[in-house]
Amino acid sequence: MITTLPEAAARIPVGAEARTIRVTLSPGDPGAPPHRHPGPLFGYVTQGEILFELEGQPPRVLKAGDALFEPGGDVIHYQGANNLPDAQSQLVVTMFAPPGTPVLTVVSAEELAERRHLRVTQP
């Protein structure tokens, strides 16, 4: 199956470099605190299960073999946790970002409070 995201290319910053990153999460690892990335990223879960949540979308569980897209920029990445309490999980992502920018920037508690209306919760 091929999924096409024509709008994704427009989000790549001018002069961006591609960075490929392997993220390994130990059992039950909550992942990074809420953050954002400097540009879009595409990823693939290679092992286990990832609890994945982006601003404006409900949390979802991605399993080995599932792909993901994150637009980067202003969108907050709330969760990227290992959903398994007893096994390692892993994903590989390719991010497009301006050279020299950090891979992620943690979002302040104040900003999270200001934007809480944009977070989608499940019933």
Side-chain angles (χ1 to χ4, degrees):
M1 179 172 135
I2 296 175
T3 300
T4 303
L5 298 169
E7 70 282 1
R11 298 191 69 94
I12 297 173
V14 174
E17 62 186 11
R19 305 171 182 170
T20 300
I21 305 157
R22 181 177 58 203
V23 179
T24 303
L25 299 167
S26 59
D29 188 332
H35 60 275
R36 55 175 51 99
H37 298 287
L41 61 85
F42 299 87
Y44 183 81
V45 179
T46 58
Q47 179 183 3
E49 296 181 1
I50 305 293
L51 176 58
F52 186 76
E53 181 186 0
L54 292 179
E55 186 173 64
Q57 299 177 11
R60 64 189 194 273
V61 174
L62 301 173
K63 298 182 179 190
D66 290 342
L68 62 103
F69 170 72
E70 187 171 337
D74 191 43
V75 176
I76 296 174
H77 181 169
Y78 285 103
Q79 293 186 78
N82 184 346
N83 197 50
L84 301 176
D86 57 355
Q88 174 177 288
S89 291
Q90 188 174 86
L91 64 151
V92 175
V93 298
T94 297
M95 173 188 304
F96 296 90
T101 56
V103 171
L104 63 82
T105 302
V106 175
V107 177
S108 71
E110 295 79 20
E111 185 178 1
L112 287 173
E114 290 169 6
R115 294 174 69 119
R116 73 175 158 259
H117 67 284
L118 299 172
R119 190 169 188 181
V120 177
T121 57
Q122 291 182 323

